[in-house]
Coordinates of all heavy atoms in Angstrom, one line a residue:
M1 N 0.8 -1.2 0.0 CA 0.0 0.0 0.0 C 0.9 1.3 0.0 O 1.8 1.3 0.8 CB -0.8 -0.1 1.3 CG -2.0 1.0 1.2 SD -3.1 0.8 2.7 CE -2.6 2.3 3.5
P2 N 0.6 2.2 -0.8 CA 1.4 3.4 -0.9 C 1.2 4.3 0.4 O 0.2 4.0 1.1 CB 0.8 4.2 -2.1 CG -0.3 3.5 -2.6 CD -0.5 2.2 -1.9
G3 N 2.1 5.2 0.7 CA 2.0 6.0 1.8 C 0.9 7.0 1.7 O 0.5 7.5 0.7
I4 N 0.2 7.4 2.8 CA -0.8 8.4 2.9 C -0.1 9.7 3.2 O -0.5 10.8 2.6 CB -1.8 8.1 4.0 CG1 -2.6 6.8 3.7 CG2 -2.8 9.2 4.3 CD1 -3.4 6.2 4.9
F5 N 0.9 9.6 4.0 CA 1.5 10.9 4.4 C 2.9 11.2 3.6 O 3.3 12.3 3.6 CB 1.9 10.8 5.9 CG 0.7 10.6 6.7 CD1 0.5 9.5 7.4 CD2 -0.3 11.7 6.9 CE1 -0.6 9.3 8.1 CE2 -1.5 11.4 7.6 CZ -1.6 10.2 8.3
I6 N 3.6 10.1 3.2 CA 4.9 10.2 2.6 C 5.0 9.5 1.3 O 4.4 8.4 1.1 CB 5.9 9.6 3.6 CG1 6.1 10.4 4.9 CG2 7.3 9.6 2.9 CD1 6.7 11.8 4.8
D7 N 5.6 10.2 0.3 CA 6.0 9.5 -0.9 C 7.5 9.7 -1.2 O 8.1 10.6 -0.8 CB 5.2 9.9 -2.1 CG 5.3 9.0 -3.3 OD1 5.6 7.8 -3.1 OD2 5.0 9.5 -4.4
V8 N 8.1 8.8 -1.7 CA 9.5 8.9 -2.1 C 9.7 8.7 -3.5 O 9.1 7.8 -4.2 CB 10.4 7.7 -1.3 CG1 11.9 7.7 -1.8 CG2 10.4 8.0 0.1
E9 N 10.4 9.6 -4.1 CA 10.7 9.7 -5.6 C 12.2 9.5 -5.8 O 13.0 10.3 -5.3 CB 10.2 10.9 -6.2 CG 8.8 11.1 -6.2 CD 8.3 12.4 -6.7 OE1 9.2 13.3 -7.0 OE2 7.1 12.6 -6.8
V10 N 12.6 8.5 -6.5 CA 13.9 8.1 -6.9 C 14.1 8.4 -8.3 O 13.3 7.6 -9.1 CB 14.4 6.8 -6.4 CG1 15.8 6.4 -7.0 CG2 14.2 6.6 -4.8
D11 N 15.0 9.1 -8.8 CA 15.2 9.4 -10.3 C 15.6 8.1 -10.9 O 16.4 7.3 -10.5 CB 16.2 10.5 -10.4 CG 16.1 11.0 -11.8 OD1 16.9 10.4 -12.7 OD2 15.4 12.0 -12.0
D12 N 15.0 7.9 -12.1 CA 15.3 6.8 -12.9 C 16.9 6.7 -13.2 O 17.4 5.5 -13.3 CB 14.7 6.9 -14.3 CG 13.3 6.5 -14.2 OD1 12.8 5.9 -13.2 OD2 12.5 6.8 -15.1
S13 N 17.6 7.7 -13.2 CA 19.1 7.7 -13.5 C 19.9 7.1 -12.3 O 20.9 6.7 -12.6 CB 19.6 9.1 -13.8 OG 19.4 9.9 -12.6
I14 N 19.3 6.9 -11.2 CA 20.1 6.4 -10.1 C 19.4 5.0 -9.7 O 19.9 4.4 -8.7 CB 20.2 7.3 -8.9 CG1 18.8 7.8 -8.3 CG2 21.0 8.4 -9.3 CD1 18.9 8.4 -7.0
R15 N 18.2 4.8 -10.1 CA 17.4 3.7 -9.5 C 18.0 2.3 -9.7 O 17.9 1.4 -8.8 CB 16.0 3.7 -10.3 CG 15.0 2.7 -9.7 CD 13.8 2.8 -10.3 NE 12.8 3.9 -9.6 CZ 12.1 3.7 -8.6 NH1 12.1 2.5 -8.0 NH2 11.4 4.6 -8.1
N16 N 19.0 2.1 -10.8 CA 19.5 0.8 -11.0 C 21.0 0.8 -10.5 O 21.8 0.0 -11.0 CB 19.4 0.6 -12.5 CG 18.0 0.4 -12.9 OD1 17.2 -0.2 -12.2 ND2 17.6 0.8 -14.0
D17 N 21.4 1.7 -9.6 CA 22.7 1.7 -9.1 C 22.8 0.8 -8.0 O 22.2 1.2 -6.9 CB 23.1 3.1 -8.8 CG 24.5 3.4 -8.2 OD1 25.0 2.3 -7.6 OD2 25.0 4.4 -8.3
P18 N 23.3 -0.3 -8.0 CA 23.4 -1.3 -6.9 C 24.1 -0.7 -5.6 O 23.6 -1.0 -4.5 CB 24.1 -2.4 -7.3 CG 24.8 -2.1 -8.6 CD 24.2 -0.9 -9.1
E19 N 25.1 0.1 -5.7 CA 25.8 0.6 -4.7 C 24.9 1.6 -3.9 O 24.9 1.6 -2.6 CB 27.1 1.4 -5.1 CG 28.3 1.1 -4.4 CD 29.5 1.7 -5.1 OE1 30.2 1.0 -6.0 OE2 29.9 2.8 -4.9
L20 N 24.4 2.5 -4.7 CA 23.4 3.4 -4.0 C 22.2 2.7 -3.4 O 21.7 3.1 -2.2 CB 22.8 4.4 -5.0 CG 21.9 5.4 -4.4 CD1 22.7 6.4 -3.5 CD2 21.1 6.2 -5.4
A21 N 21.7 1.6 -4.1 CA 20.6 0.9 -3.4 C 21.0 0.3 -2.0 O 20.2 0.4 -1.1 CB 20.2 -0.3 -4.4
K22 N 22.2 -0.1 -2.0 CA 22.7 -0.6 -0.7 C 22.8 0.4 0.4 O 22.5 0.2 1.6 CB 24.0 -1.4 -0.9 CG 24.7 -2.0 0.2 CD 24.0 -3.3 0.7 CE 24.6 -3.9 1.9 NZ 23.6 -4.1 3.1
K23 N 23.3 1.6 0.0 CA 23.5 2.6 0.8 C 22.2 3.1 1.4 O 22.1 3.4 2.5 CB 24.1 3.9 0.0 CG 25.5 4.4 0.4 CD 25.6 5.8 -0.2 CE 26.9 5.9 -0.8 NZ 27.0 7.3 -1.4
L24 N 21.3 3.1 0.5 CA 19.8 3.7 1.0 C 19.2 2.6 2.0 O 18.7 3.0 3.0 CB 18.9 3.9 -0.2 CG 19.4 5.1 -1.1 CD1 18.4 5.2 -2.2 CD2 19.3 6.4 -0.3
E25 N 19.5 1.3 1.6 CA 18.9 0.3 2.4 C 19.5 0.3 3.9 O 18.9 0.2 4.8 CB 19.2 -1.1 1.7 CG 18.6 -2.3 2.6 CD 19.0 -3.6 2.0 OE1 20.2 -4.0 2.0 OE2 18.1 -4.2 1.3
D26 N 20.9 0.6 3.9 CA 21.5 0.7 5.1 C 21.3 2.0 5.9 O 21.2 2.0 7.1 CB 23.0 0.7 4.9 CG 23.6 -0.8 4.5 OD1 22.8 -1.7 4.5 OD2 24.7 -0.8 4.0
A27 N 20.8 3.0 5.2 CA 20.7 4.2 5.8 C 19.3 4.4 6.5 O 19.2 5.0 7.6 CB 20.9 5.5 4.9
C28 N 18.3 4.0 5.8 CA 17.0 4.4 6.3 C 16.7 3.5 7.6 O 16.7 2.3 7.6 CB 15.9 4.1 5.3 SG 14.3 4.5 5.8
P29 N 16.4 4.2 8.7 CA 16.1 3.5 10.1 C 14.7 2.6 10.0 O 14.5 1.9 10.8 CB 16.1 4.6 11.0 CG 15.8 5.8 10.3 CD 16.2 5.6 8.9
V30 N 13.9 3.0 9.1 CA 12.6 2.2 9.1 C 12.4 1.5 7.8 O 11.2 1.2 7.4 CB 11.4 3.4 9.3 CG1 11.5 3.9 10.7 CG2 11.4 4.4 8.2
D31 N 13.4 1.1 7.1 CA 13.4 0.2 6.0 C 12.4 0.5 4.9 O 11.8 -0.3 4.4 CB 13.0 -1.2 6.6 CG 14.1 -1.7 7.5 OD1 15.2 -1.4 7.4 OD2 13.8 -2.5 8.4
I32 N 12.5 1.6 4.5 CA 11.8 2.3 3.3 C 12.4 1.8 2.0 O 11.8 1.7 0.9 CB 11.5 3.7 3.4 CG1 10.5 3.9 4.4 CG2 11.0 4.3 2.1 CD1 10.1 5.3 4.9
Y33 N 13.8 1.6 2.0 CA 14.5 1.2 0.9 C 15.0 -0.2 1.0 O 15.3 -0.6 2.1 CB 15.7 2.1 0.7 CG 15.4 3.5 0.6 CD1 15.4 4.3 1.7 CD2 15.0 4.1 -0.6 CE1 15.1 5.7 1.7 CE2 14.6 5.4 -0.7 CZ 14.7 6.3 0.5 OH 14.3 7.6 0.3
A34 N 15.0 -0.9 -0.1 CA 15.5 -2.2 -0.1 C 16.2 -2.5 -1.4 O 16.0 -1.8 -2.4 CB 14.4 -3.4 0.1
V35 N 17.2 -3.3 -1.5 CA 17.9 -3.8 -2.8 C 17.1 -4.9 -3.3 O 16.9 -5.9 -2.7 CB 19.4 -4.2 -2.5 CG1 20.1 -4.4 -3.9 CG2 20.1 -3.1 -1.7
R36 N 16.7 -4.7 -4.5 CA 16.0 -5.8 -5.3 C 16.6 -5.9 -6.7 O 16.5 -5.1 -7.5 CB 14.5 -5.4 -5.5 CG 13.7 -6.6 -6.0 CD 12.3 -6.0 -6.2 NE 11.5 -7.1 -6.8 CZ 10.7 -7.9 -6.2 NH1 10.8 -7.9 -4.8 NH2 10.0 -8.9 -6.7
D37 N 17.3 -7.0 -6.9 CA 18.0 -7.3 -8.3 C 19.0 -6.2 -8.6 O 19.0 -5.7 -9.7 CB 16.9 -7.5 -9.4 CG 16.0 -8.6 -9.1 OD1 16.5 -9.6 -8.4 OD2 14.8 -8.6 -9.6
G38 N 19.6 -5.6 -7.6 CA 20.6 -4.6 -7.8 C 20.0 -3.2 -7.9 O 20.8 -2.3 -8.2
S39 N 18.8 -3.1 -7.8 CA 18.1 -1.7 -8.0 C 17.4 -1.3 -6.7 O 17.2 -2.1 -5.7 CB 16.9 -1.9 -9.0 OG 17.4 -2.2 -10.2
V40 N 17.1 0.0 -6.6 CA 16.4 0.6 -5.4 C 15.0 0.1 -5.5 O 14.3 0.4 -6.4 CB 16.5 2.1 -5.4 CG1 15.9 2.6 -4.2 CG2 18.0 2.5 -5.5
E41 N 14.5 -0.6 -4.4 CA 13.1 -0.7 -4.3 C 12.5 0.1 -3.1 O 13.2 0.2 -2.2 CB 12.8 -2.3 -4.0 CG 11.4 -2.5 -3.8 CD 11.1 -4.0 -3.3 OE1 12.0 -4.7 -2.6 OE2 10.0 -4.5 -3.6
I42 N 11.3 0.7 -3.4 CA 10.7 1.4 -2.3 C 9.7 0.4 -1.7 O 8.8 -0.1 -2.3 CB 10.0 2.6 -2.9 CG1 10.8 3.5 -3.8 CG2 9.3 3.4 -1.8 CD1 11.9 4.1 -3.0
V43 N 9.8 0.3 -0.3 CA 8.9 -0.6 0.4 C 7.7 0.3 0.8 O 7.7 1.0 1.8 CB 9.7 -1.2 1.6 CG1 8.8 -2.2 2.3 CG2 10.9 -1.9 1.2
E44 N 6.7 0.2 0.0 CA 5.6 1.0 0.1 C 4.9 0.8 1.5 O 4.3 1.9 2.1 CB 4.5 0.8 -1.0 CG 5.1 1.2 -2.3 CD 3.9 1.2 -3.4 OE1 2.9 0.5 -3.1 OE2 4.2 1.9 -4.4
D45 N 4.9 -0.4 2.0 CA 4.2 -0.5 3.3 C 4.8 0.3 4.4 O 4.2 0.5 5.5 CB 4.3 -2.0 3.7 CG 3.1 -2.8 3.1 OD1 2.3 -2.2 2.3 OD2 3.2 -4.1 3.1
N46 N 6.1 0.6 4.2 CA 6.9 1.3 5.2 C 6.9 2.9 5.1 O 7.4 3.6 6.0 CB 8.2 0.8 5.4 CG 8.3 -0.6 5.9 OD1 7.4 -1.1 6.4 ND2 9.6 -1.3 5.8
L47 N 6.3 3.4 4.0 CA 6.6 4.8 3.6 C 6.0 5.7 4.8 O 6.8 6.7 5.2 CB 5.8 5.1 2.5 CG 6.4 4.8 1.2 CD1 5.4 4.9 0.0 CD2 7.5 5.7 0.9
D48 N 4.9 5.4 5.5 CA 4.4 6.3 6.4 C 5.2 6.2 7.8 O 4.9 6.9 8.8 CB 2.9 6.2 6.8 CG 2.1 6.7 5.6 OD1 2.6 7.6 4.9 OD2 0.9 6.2 5.3
E49 N 6.2 5.3 7.9 CA 7.0 5.2 9.1 C 8.1 6.2 9.0 O 8.9 6.4 10.0 CB 7.6 3.8 9.1 CG 6.7 2.6 9.2 CD 5.7 2.8 10.4 OE1 6.1 3.1 11.5 OE2 4.5 2.5 10.1
C50 N 8.3 6.9 7.9 CA 9.4 7.9 7.7 C 9.4 8.8 8.9 O 8.3 9.5 9.3 CB 9.3 8.6 6.3 SG 10.5 9.9 6.0
V51 N 10.7 9.1 9.4 CA 10.9 10.0 10.5 C 11.6 11.3 10.1 O 12.0 12.0 10.9 CB 11.7 9.3 11.6 CG1 10.9 8.2 12.2 CG2 13.1 8.7 11.2
L52 N 11.7 11.4 8.7 CA 12.3 12.7 8.2 C 13.6 12.9 8.6 O 14.0 14.0 8.9 CB 11.3 13.9 8.4 CG 9.9 13.7 8.0 CD1 9.1 14.8 8.5 CD2 9.8 13.5 6.5
C53 N 14.5 11.8 8.7 CA 15.8 12.0 9.3 C 16.8 12.6 8.2 O 17.9 12.9 8.7 CB 16.4 10.6 9.8 SG 16.5 9.4 8.4
E54 N 16.5 12.5 7.0 CA 17.3 13.0 5.9 C 18.6 12.2 5.7 O 19.5 12.7 4.9 CB 17.7 14.5 6.1 CG 16.4 15.3 6.3 CD 16.8 16.9 6.3 OE1 17.1 17.3 5.1 OE2 16.6 17.5 7.2
L55 N 18.6 11.0 6.2 CA 19.8 10.2 5.9 C 19.8 9.8 4.4 O 20.8 9.6 3.8 CB 19.9 8.9 6.8 CG 20.2 9.3 8.3 CD1 20.0 8.0 9.2 CD2 21.5 9.9 8.5
C56 N 18.6 9.5 4.0 CA 18.5 9.0 2.4 C 18.9 10.2 1.6 O 19.7 10.0 0.5 CB 17.2 8.4 2.1 SG 15.8 9.6 2.4
T57 N 18.4 11.4 1.8 CA 18.7 12.5 0.9 C 20.1 12.9 1.1 O 20.7 13.3 0.0 CB 17.8 13.8 1.2 OG1 17.8 14.0 2.7 CG2 16.3 13.5 0.8
A58 N 20.8 12.6 2.2 CA 22.2 12.9 2.3 C 23.0 11.9 1.5 O 24.1 12.1 1.0 CB 22.6 12.9 3.8
A59 N 22.5 10.7 1.3 CA 23.2 9.5 0.7 C 23.1 9.6 -0.8 O 23.9 9.1 -1.5 CB 22.7 8.2 1.2
A60 N 22.2 10.3 -1.3 CA 21.8 10.2 -2.7 C 22.4 11.4 -3.5 O 22.7 12.5 -2.8 CB 20.3 10.3 -3.0
P61 N 22.7 11.4 -4.7 CA 23.2 12.5 -5.6 C 22.4 13.6 -5.5 O 21.0 13.4 -5.5 CB 23.5 11.9 -6.8 CG 23.3 10.4 -6.8 CD 22.6 10.1 -5.7
K62 N 22.8 14.7 -5.6 CA 22.0 16.1 -5.6 C 20.9 16.1 -6.7 O 21.2 15.7 -7.8 CB 22.8 17.1 -5.8 CG 22.3 18.5 -5.4 CD 23.3 19.6 -5.4 CE 22.7 21.0 -5.2 NZ 21.6 21.2 -4.2
G63 N 19.7 16.3 -6.2 CA 18.5 16.4 -7.1 C 17.9 15.1 -7.6 O 17.1 15.1 -8.4
K64 N 18.4 14.0 -7.1 CA 17.9 12.7 -7.6 C 17.0 11.9 -6.7 O 16.5 10.9 -7.2 CB 19.1 11.8 -7.9 CG 20.1 12.4 -8.8 CD 19.5 12.7 -10.2 CE 20.6 13.1 -11.2 NZ 20.0 13.4 -12.5
L65 N 16.8 12.4 -5.5 CA 15.9 11.8 -4.6 C 15.1 12.7 -3.8 O 15.6 13.8 -3.3 CB 16.8 10.8 -3.6 CG 15.9 9.9 -2.8 CD1 16.7 8.6 -2.4 CD2 15.5 10.5 -1.4
R66 N 13.9 12.5 -3.6 CA 12.9 13.5 -3.0 C 12.0 12.7 -2.0 O 11.5 11.7 -2.4 CB 12.0 14.2 -4.0 CG 11.2 15.3 -3.5 CD 10.4 15.9 -4.5 NE 11.5 16.6 -5.4 CZ 11.4 16.5 -6.8 NH1 10.5 15.8 -7.4 NH2 12.3 17.1 -7.5
V67 N 11.9 13.2 -0.8 CA 10.8 12.5 0.2 C 9.7 13.6 0.2 O 10.0 14.7 0.8 CB 11.5 12.3 1.6 CG1 10.5 11.9 2.5 CG2 12.7 11.4 1.5
R68 N 8.6 13.2 -0.2 CA 7.5 14.3 -0.4 C 6.6 14.0 0.8 O 6.2 13.0 1.1 CB 6.7 14.0 -1.6 CG 7.5 14.4 -2.9 CD 6.7 14.0 -4.1 NE 5.5 14.7 -4.1 CZ 4.4 14.1 -4.7 NH1 4.4 12.9 -5.2 NH2 3.1 14.8 -4.7
K69 N 6.3 15.2 1.5 CA 5.4 15.1 2.7 C 4.0 15.5 2.1 O 3.7 16.7 1.8 CB 5.8 16.2 3.6 CG 7.2 16.0 4.2 CD 7.4 17.0 5.3 CE 8.8 17.5 5.2 NZ 9.1 18.7 6.1
L70 N 3.2 14.4 1.9 CA 2.0 14.6 1.2 C 0.9 15.5 2.0 O 0.2 16.1 1.4 CB 1.3 13.3 0.8 CG 2.2 12.3 0.0 CD1 1.5 11.0 -0.1 CD2 2.4 12.9 -1.3
Y71 N 1.3 15.6 3.3 CA 0.3 16.2 4.1 C 0.5 17.7 4.1 O -0.4 18.4 4.6 CB 0.3 15.8 5.6 CG 1.8 15.7 6.1 CD1 2.4 16.8 6.9 CD2 2.7 14.7 5.9 CE1 3.6 16.8 7.3 CE2 4.0 14.5 6.5 CZ 4.4 15.6 7.1 OH 5.6 15.7 7.6
D72 N 1.7 18.2 3.6 CA 1.9 19.7 3.6 C 2.4 20.1 2.2 O 2.6 21.4 2.1 CB 2.6 20.3 4.8 CG 4.0 19.9 4.8 OD1 4.5 19.2 3.8 OD2 4.8 20.3 5.6
G73 N 2.6 19.3 1.3 CA 3.2 19.7 0.1 C 4.6 20.0 -0.1 O 5.0 20.4 -1.1
T74 N 5.3 19.9 1.0 CA 6.7 20.2 0.9 C 7.5 18.9 0.7 O 6.9 17.8 0.8 CB 7.2 20.9 2.2 OG1 7.1 20.1 3.3 CG2 6.5 22.2 2.4
A75 N 8.8 19.0 0.6 CA 9.6 17.9 0.4 C 11.0 18.0 0.9 O 11.5 19.1 1.0 CB 9.6 17.6 -1.2
L76 N 11.8 16.9 1.3 CA 13.2 16.9 1.5 C 13.9 16.5 0.3 O 13.4 15.5 -0.4 CB 13.4 15.8 2.5 CG 12.7 15.9 3.9 CD1 13.2 14.7 4.9 CD2 13.0 17.3 4.6
E77 N 14.9 17.2 -0.1 CA 15.5 16.8 -1.5 C 17.1 16.6 -1.2 O 17.6 17.2 -0.4 CB 15.4 18.0 -2.4 CG 14.0 18.6 -2.4 CD 13.6 18.8 -3.8 OE1 14.2 18.5 -4.8 OE2 12.5 19.5 -4.0
S78 N 17.5 15.7 -2.1 CA 18.9 15.4 -2.0 C 19.7 16.4 -2.7 O 19.2 17.3 -3.4 CB 19.3 13.9 -2.7 OG 19.0 14.1 -4.1
Ligands
SF4_1 S1 14.1 10.6 5.7 FE1 14.9 8.9 7.0 S2 13.3 7.7 7.5 FE2 12.5 8.9 5.9 S3 13.0 7.7 4.0 FE3 14.7 8.9 4.3 S4 16.1 7.6 5.5 FE4 14.1 6.8 5.6

């Protein structure tokens, strides 16, 4: 199920980077990212657990990852 409060957008240009996928999987404290066949998978069931820690946006290349706060229309950006 997609998140009600949070959505995560990963740019296609980095989605298939296995190193980044692993970095995101390791960084997120609530397991929103997983490595699947060497690509970044978003674990939709966990989206609303996001604690806005910014570890994922810090790990991703600039402008390529966005954590959208659906409840107020703002976002955290890498
Ligand atoms: S901001 Fe933190 S909790 Fe939210 S998706 Fe990124 S790493 Fe996970």
Side-chain angles (χ1 to χ4, degrees):
M1 196 178 106
I4 294 169
F5 302 111
I6 296 290
D7 193 21
V8 169
E9 294 171 356
V10 177
D11 194 272
D12 282 346
S13 65
I14 59 166
R15 193 173 268 275
N16 297 322
D17 177 338
E19 224 169 271
L20 181 72
K22 179 75 179 125
K23 243 198 222 177
L24 293 174
E25 183 182 72
D26 289 347
C28 181
V30 294
D31 297 333
I32 286 172
Y33 304 95
V35 183
R36 187 186 177 91
D37 299 330
S39 298
V40 181
E41 179 186 27
I42 306 295
V43 182
E44 292 191 339
D45 280 351
N46 293 347
L47 279 170
D48 284 338
E49 305 300 320
C50 176
V51 292
L52 305 174
C53 66
E54 301 192 69
L55 292 172
C56 60
T57 50
K62 194 166 171 50
K64 302 294 187 190
L65 188 149
R66 186 175 299 131
V67 177
R68 292 173 57 213
K69 301 182 218 174
L70 301 175
Y71 51 91
D72 71 1
T74 64
L76 307 175
E77 312 225 11
S78 65

